[in-house]
Amino acid sequence: MPHSYQDIITLFNQTFYQEFNTKLERGGDEPIYLPADDNVSYHRIVFARGFYASALHEIAHWCVAGPERRLLEDFGYWYQPDGRTAHVQAEFEKVEVRPQAYEWILAASAGFPFNVSCDNLQGDFEPDRLAFMNKVYKEVQTILSEGVPYRVRLLSDTLRSFYHTPELELDQFEVK
């Protein structure tokens, strides 16, 4: 089944709008999370250019953010843009392990391919993508063994139902 951004928008909004006053929206070049304000009465997860993978990634960050962070633009998280040094890249990857594990769980639930995002094309070194993917895999393993958090589980169930994918098992996740 093809993966269209219109489907992920519809599925997300049907699953979360009522309970969390949050909608997923297609955006331009840069993704952003915007809390409700005087002009828009609901929170918005804006993903880049209609890319399905971007939608999953931004949703994963929303799933990590607690109630207080969901009241802050971009959840109040630190973000160092592309062009990071090795040290800054290591810090970036530390905070990206959990959201990318959630993203991988959601991608598997949708039958959509997952690739870790080192997100450093302009850096002065080549990040170790495989080592990072192994860290994300270990986090997926922990999440599946300890229990998938509520919002991730809700969307995972919705995606699995829509795309007719099987119940999640660790053997569906492969580092490559």
Side-chain angles (χ1 to χ4, degrees), residues 100-143:
Q100 292 204 30
Y102 286 176
E103 179 184 351
W104 199 353
I105 288 168
L106 296 173
S109 299
F112 187 78
F114 171 77
N115 292 298
V116 292
S117 175
C118 294
D119 199 22
N120 197 31
L121 299 174
Q122 304 300 318
D124 60 359
F125 75 104
E126 183 66 32
D128 188 342
R129 188 187 155 289
L130 192 56
F132 182 50
M133 188 151 189
N134 273 305
K135 291 175 187 173
V136 174
Y137 173 80
K138 286 179 183 166
E139 188 71 11
V140 167
Q141 187 176 29
T142 299
I143 293 165

Side-chain angles (χ1 to χ4, degrees), residues 34-73:
L34 300 167
D37 58 28
D38 292 338
N39 297 319
V40 181
S41 63
Y42 56 88
H43 311 297
R44 293 167 285 162
I45 302 169
V46 182
F47 64 99
R49 295 185 251 155
F51 294 140
Y52 196 92
S54 176
L56 293 177
H57 186 80
E58 298 312 312
I59 291 167
H61 277 286
W62 177 78
C63 288
V64 169
E68 296 82 22
R69 289 230 179 239
R70 293 193 308 267
L71 297 176
L72 302 172
E73 183 173 313

